[in-house]
Amino acid sequence: MPVLTGSLTLPRDRTVAQPARSLSPQRTVPAKWHVAKRAGDIVTGSLLCIAAFPFVALAALGVVLVTGGAPFFAQERVAQNGRRFKMYKLRTMIEGAHAMRDELMHLNEADGPIFKIRQDPRLHPLGSLLRRTSIDELPNLLNVVLGDISLVGPRPALPCEVEHYDDYAMRRLSVPQGVTCLWQINGRSSVSFEEWMDLDNLYIATWTPWRDIGILLKTIPAVIKKDGAH
């Protein structure tokens, strides 16, 4: 069963897709493309921060009222070229959730180095809603403005996930990481780890500033329909 991404088709069968997973030489793109990408991040990211502020403030108040704890948390993630940074999010889990990961590993529903539970028992009462609507990720826009990540690019991974990457998966760290990418508009958590890496490598191989604009526009209906979000 193929994964459709615009006009390109990615096979799910690893034996069929092996040639596509070979490490092709890094693309050389015009320097002005990178300048345009960063300028777009600053301008668009700033505007989105302003537009998102009321939603973030209301959600933060809800988290405080429901849990009595801090509404935000900063999680260490891996940026371009392996650089570590703190990614800001609205807190969706109870205090001490990370320490419970090992004892819940038997419930993991994801493949590869990813840890995902559809009905995660660590979520606080508002956590599921914040995740399904992607409101918990709105503080990521601050990371965009600060230059930690871009609006569009492979989703920043946890250090414990990157430790298990092979060369093919590691290639996703060769470009700026982002808030949204092909993975987010092609099923998110319903996509296997192999397909996710295929989508990220497809993005790297075909990236242009205009492609970023297209991904941003497609992200809006994907978020509204809650495709693969849980």
Side-chain angles (χ1 to χ4, degrees), residues 119-150:
Q119 301 294 332
D120 199 317
R122 300 172 298 171
L123 294 174
H124 60 63
L126 284 180
S128 180
L129 173 64
L130 294 177
R131 287 192 169 189
R132 289 198 313 271
T133 57
S134 298
I135 292 176
D136 65 313
E137 297 179 355
L138 289 178
N140 293 174
L141 295 170
L142 180 58
N143 291 113
V144 173
V145 176
L146 293 174
D148 296 321
I149 58 177
S150 177

Side-chain angles (χ1 to χ4, degrees), residues 154-186:
R155 188 72 179 156
L158 294 167
C160 62
E161 296 169 350
V162 174
E163 290 175 359
H164 299 281
Y165 279 4
D166 58 15
D167 290 341
Y168 183 69
M170 193 67 74
R171 190 168 181 243
R172 70 197 301 273
L173 300 180
S174 66
V175 299
Q177 308 297 277
V179 176
T180 186
C181 201
L182 293 177
W183 176 70
Q184 279 80 357
I185 62 175
N186 282 275

